[in-house]
Amino acid sequence: MTWEIVAGMLIAIAGTAAGLALLILGLPGIWLFWLAAALFAWWTGFLVVGGWTVLGLFALATAGELLEFYLGVSSAARSRPSWRVLVCTLLGGVVGAMLGAPLLFGLGALPGALLGTFAGAALGVAWEGGAVREMWATGVAAMRGRWRGFLAKLIALCTMGVAFLIALLV
């Protein structure tokens, strides 16, 4: 086994693990992994991992981001389609992640984003004069969607790690 393969395996394993940790902290871990893979490919002259693999990893990272956004927003929109609920859901998730980030050594960012998404969607419904039952249902739907979006992004990151390993070994 050459040093390039060993280094690539380390990048794949450590990059996926670091990406996961960063995703939980609310940071762009998927893009850090892509950057590490792209730099490795460039550094080895695209001989070990080709340009098409780097492009495929970019497509997976982009798909993960888009899925996270779509799933996070569409659940609240299906429950109560309104621009107010949409804006409040997005802002609530961002504010919740920022407020939760200092808790539990950064691990509070994900629960904060989930609770913020819930609160934002519920406030959006309240802004429109909705009943408490509608606020609860829309908030729960938004929080579930945000969770599903996180899981979709996590799956995209793990798929990137596996694809990078396969590209190394083939």
Side-chain angles (χ1 to χ4, degrees), residues 134-152:
E134 290 176 294
M135 291 168 55
W136 181 264
T138 304
V140 167
M143 189 169 62
R144 282 184 185 152
R146 178 72 172 89
W147 176 248
R148 289 178 184 137
F150 171 78
L151 292 177

